[in-house]
């Protein structure tokens, strides 16, 4: 079951990548080419902090070794063989909401 959390942070103008905290989790929030994305904050390669990275051509770039992750699918670039978790978001009149999986699946993949 997904629980929706309202984001209490002001969103900067234009393109950005920043760390947010929701339900005790540090996540990475980005706006790229007019779209908002929420993804895991830790790089699966070697633990880099993805919110310290940047976006390019629909990908989030890790600042440590510059591995790339597709912002729509979470898939790593060819040859990486990894992926990042993408969190569902909803833009509602009262603000931006992020969906976090609860229970067993949330613990496993959250
Ligand atoms: S830690 Fe992210 S690319 Fe290596």
């Amino acid at each position: 079951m997904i629980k929706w959390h309202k984001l209490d942070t002001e969103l900067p103008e234009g393109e950005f990548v920043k760390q947010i905290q929701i339900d005790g989790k540090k996540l990475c929030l980005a706006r790229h080419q007019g779209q908002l994305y929420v993804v895991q904050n830790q790089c699966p390669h070697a633990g880099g902090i993805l919110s310290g990275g940047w976006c390019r051509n629909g990908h989030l770039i890790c600042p440590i070794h510059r591995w790339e992750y597709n912002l729509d699918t979470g898939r790593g670039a060819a040859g990486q063989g990894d992926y990042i978790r993408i969190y569902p978001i909803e833009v509602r009149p009262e603000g931006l909401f992020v969906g976090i999986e609860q229970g067993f699946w949330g613990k496993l993949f959250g």
Side-chain angles (χ1 to χ4, degrees):
M1 188 186 97
I2 288 181
K3 185 174 175 193
W4 293 91
H5 300 265
K6 185 176 184 297
L7 188 66
D8 288 328
T9 315
E10 285 284 308
L11 299 185
E13 294 292 317
E15 298 249 331
F16 67 86
V17 181
K18 65 181 283 185
Q19 180 177 290
I20 56 172
Q21 189 153 344
I22 293 183
D23 198 23
K25 291 179 194 301
K26 287 180 180 157
L27 302 176
C28 174
L29 169 68
R31 185 191 286 125
H32 179 53
Q33 297 174 339
Q35 281 284 118
L36 286 166
Y37 301 92
V38 174
V39 306
Q40 71 183 57
N41 198 35
Q42 206 170 27
C43 178
H45 174 226
I49 303 301
L50 292 170
S51 55
W54 61 94
C55 297
R56 186 177 60 215
N57 298 331
H59 290 74
L60 178 60
I61 317 293
C62 176
I64 306 300
H65 309 101
R66 306 198 174 186
W67 285 25
E68 302 187 9
Y69 298 92
N70 185 297
L71 282 162
D72 290 314
T73 65
R75 289 183 71 125
Q80 288 178 203
D82 60 357
Y83 69 94
I84 56 171
R85 181 165 170 77
I86 308 285
Y87 290 84
I89 59 174
E90 283 187 7
V91 181
R92 301 180 189 170
E94 59 273 33
L96 179 68
F97 285 74
V98 181
I100 306 280
E101 190 75 44
Q102 303 295 296
F104 175 75
W105 295 109
K107 286 192 179 81
L108 203 57
F109 298 115

